[in-house]
Amino acid sequence: MDSANPSVTKEPQYQELLERQKQKGLARFGLMSSQVYFDDPKRVAFVLARYKFASKLLEGKQNVLEVGCADAFGTPLVAKAVDNLTALDFDPVFIEDATDRTDPELGIEFLVHDILKAPLAHRKFDAAYAIDVFEHIEPSVEDTFLDNIIQSLNTHGVLILGIPSLESQEYASPQSKAGHVNCKSGADFKRTLQRKFENVFLFSMNDEVVHTGFSKMAHYLFVVCATPKVTSK
């Protein structure tokens, strides 16, 4: 083996990496994930851990909806776990970035759609999730946000929401604080979703670890909601 040849790896088992690069190129960060990586790389691990949690809970679901996918950097984790994934965002800039960068073999359907304006017409999903989205929804329209997602779910649909906790905002960056208009404490977050679902389970999260500990000490919160109380209007 020619050790001076940059197209041949010194350890033969890694030659596949170069072949993969030729076939698909290199994976790229998106608009948002790239900024996160440059500014505070550990946050990439936190975001991916949130998507991993959702992917494990939704594993095996047939039709799943992501609301507010942004640059969809973590979306492939869920796509690998479910049969069909539709990812939407109201900002065309993010959808264009995600569509251009995401491996088409994952089969993710990207859509520009504002869930505050309407549910997805004539579509029903087994589950939906929104990670780092609800905190950007003004409290005055949070019911509309939730109702339109619920109208996109089937009768026994599941919804997973993840948000920074209210208690975490003391430590949030100025950019985060500017967009975070609806962070909640754990108890309030659970009560909000109990208005809409028969079953709501609250989880706490610190860094990459999801747990059932004291929510006021958590920097991040998840609610896992099952069986909508309202399925149509």
Side-chain angles (χ1 to χ4, degrees):
M1 182 180 294
D2 183 1
S3 61
N5 187 344
S7 62
V8 177
T9 61
K10 289 187 175 182
E11 294 184 74
Q13 70 270 26
Y14 296 131
Q15 190 63 30
E16 181 184 347
L17 305 182
L18 296 179
E19 297 304 317
R20 187 79 167 185
Q21 180 185 11
K22 291 178 183 177
Q23 294 170 5
K24 292 195 172 188
L26 296 176
R28 292 178 287 151
F29 284 99
L31 290 170
M32 187 175 291
S33 51
S34 179
Q35 181 194 7
V36 169
Y37 184 74
F38 282 126
D39 292 351
D40 190 4
K42 66 180 179 292
R43 284 177 54 208
V44 174
F46 303 161
V47 171
L48 292 180
R50 296 165 192 172
Y51 274 87
K52 181 191 173 185
F53 178 67
S55 73
K56 296 301 289 185
L57 293 183
L58 298 175
E59 192 169 12
K61 291 291 185 183
Q62 184 174 4
N63 295 303
V64 175
L65 173 67
E66 179 177 1
V67 178
C69 66
D71 69 12
F73 183 68
T75 303
L77 275 76
V78 181
K80 291 277 191 178
V82 305
D83 292 345
N84 301 288
L85 181 60
T86 299
L88 61 85
D89 200 280
F90 80 121
D91 193 331
V93 171
F94 283 126
I95 292 297
E96 181 178 356
D97 173 47
T99 302
D100 175 65
R101 186 175 33 76
T102 304
D103 184 356
E105 290 188 11
L106 289 170
I108 301 170
E109 179 186 16
F110 288 108
L111 296 176
V112 177
H113 180 81
D114 187 349
I115 202 70
L116 280 173
K117 293 184 177 178
L120 285 185
H122 311 300
R123 303 283 293 276
K124 293 291 183 181
F125 295 87
D126 304 310
Y129 67 96
I131 295 175
D132 296 312
V133 178
F134 189 82
E135 69 272 18
H136 295 270
I137 304 300
E138 292 283 354
S140 61
V141 294
E142 68 180 26
D143 279 348
T144 299
F145 176 82
L146 294 172
D147 289 342
N148 285 346
I149 293 177
I150 288 170
Q151 288 188 72
S152 301
L153 293 174
N154 63 31
T155 304
H156 299 290
V158 172
L159 173 64
I160 300 172
L161 298 178
I163 66 169
S165 68
L166 180 63
E167 291 78 11
S168 74
Q169 293 309 285
E170 178 182 351
Y171 310 100
S173 67
Q175 184 187 47
S176 293
K177 288 181 178 179
H180 291 180
V181 297
N182 197 12
C183 291
K184 296 181 184 293
S185 65
D188 189 22
F189 196 26
K190 184 174 183 177
R191 280 193 298 268
T192 298
L193 275 299
Q194 284 176 323
R195 301 198 314 263
K196 306 292 182 180
F197 286 85
E198 297 290 346
N199 301 289
V200 178
F201 306 95
L202 176 69
F203 294 88
S204 298
M205 190 173 190
N206 293 86
D207 291 351
E208 303 95 334
V209 179
V210 181
H211 55 88
T212 56
F214 187 47
S215 63
K216 288 184 180 295
M217 294 182 69
H219 283 178
Y220 200 81
L221 302 169
F222 271 108
V223 283
V224 180
C225 315
T227 312
K229 291 181 178 180
V230 179
T231 56
S232 63
K233 289 185 177 181

